[in-house]
Amino acid sequence: MPATRRVLVVAALLAVVLRVRQPDAAGGAPDVGGYVLVQVLAAALGALSVTSEYATGMIRLSLVAVPRRGRVLAAKAVVCSAASFLIGALSGPAGGLYLALAGVTGVATGFLVRSATAAWALLVGAAVGDSLLVRLLPDGPARVAERYSPTAAGDRLLGGRHVQHVPSPWAGAGLLAAVALIALASALVVSRHREH
């Protein structure tokens, strides 16, 4: 679909721009703030790979060709995570992992909501919403929420830094992977109970 190709190209160009702007900052770590937009684009790529089929009705053909919805979901997740990983790998392996997980989450979101507009709203909200929510909480709960928020986990993974009393960057990657797997499992359960 043309929209997925455009999102892929824009995400790759933005990842290159971020890499060129900060080639040696923080030991090669990417600009975390700018990477949120790349994260949203990688997730949107995953969502569009699904929602475009629902919008055109081609999902029926896909499900006739491959009746097991789990296989369709898995295939889309693998392809989108691989494309997202390649984009993220422009800034290093941590960036590749981060965007691959964002792509998987986007695929799951697309299967859950079946609408490109709703998927965009949810993905943008998830990318920026948890950090905003943390700021609205009182100090004690905010500290706990910040330790385990997916956005903070992504920041730690991309920055490669370990802060005392906060899970390590790779524990953050584990948290992001758990979020992606929960989203995929939810999408599988919901898609199995729909007609198409």
Side-chain angles (χ1 to χ4, degrees):
M1 300 296 285
T4 53
R5 285 195 297 269
R6 287 185 202 119
V7 169
L8 185 65
V9 168
V10 170
L13 289 174
L14 186 56
V16 168
V17 167
L18 290 172
R19 180 66 180 156
V20 168
R21 281 186 57 204
Q22 288 191 325
D24 296 318
D31 174 13
V32 174
Y35 227 66
V36 171
L37 180 57
V38 182
Q39 169 200 341
V40 170
L41 291 172
L45 174 69
L48 283 172
S49 73
V50 177
T51 59
S52 59
E53 284 196 51
Y54 276 108
T56 60
M58 291 299 292
I59 192 71
R60 291 183 188 95
L61 185 60
S62 294
L63 294 175
V64 166
V66 183
R68 302 185 93 185
R69 292 170 189 241
R71 286 187 182 177
V72 173
L73 178 63
K76 287 188 177 293
V78 166
V79 170
C80 289
S81 66
S84 298
F85 179 85
L86 291 175
I87 293 168
L90 295 170
S91 60
L97 176 60
Y98 183 66
L99 290 192
L101 293 171
V104 169
T105 304
V107 168
T109 304
F111 267 98
L112 285 168
V113 299
R114 300 188 295 179
S115 161
T117 305
W120 272 98
L122 286 172
L123 294 169
V124 170
V128 297
D130 69 339
S131 59
L132 293 175
L133 183 62
V134 166
R135 291 185 183 136
L136 296 174
L137 294 172
D139 285 343
R143 280 194 294 273
V144 173
E146 189 172 19
R147 290 178 66 186
Y148 299 102
S149 83
T151 300
D155 289 350
R156 288 192 302 275
L157 176 62
L158 288 173
R161 61 191 179 280
H162 181 65
V163 180
Q164 193 174 10
H165 306 300
V166 174
S168 72
W170 293 108
L175 175 63
L176 293 173
V179 168
L181 288 174
I182 290 168
L184 273 180
S186 302
L188 182 60
V189 168
V190 168
S191 70
R192 282 184 173 166
H193 289 87
R194 287 181 179 149
E195 286 185 25
H196 53 74

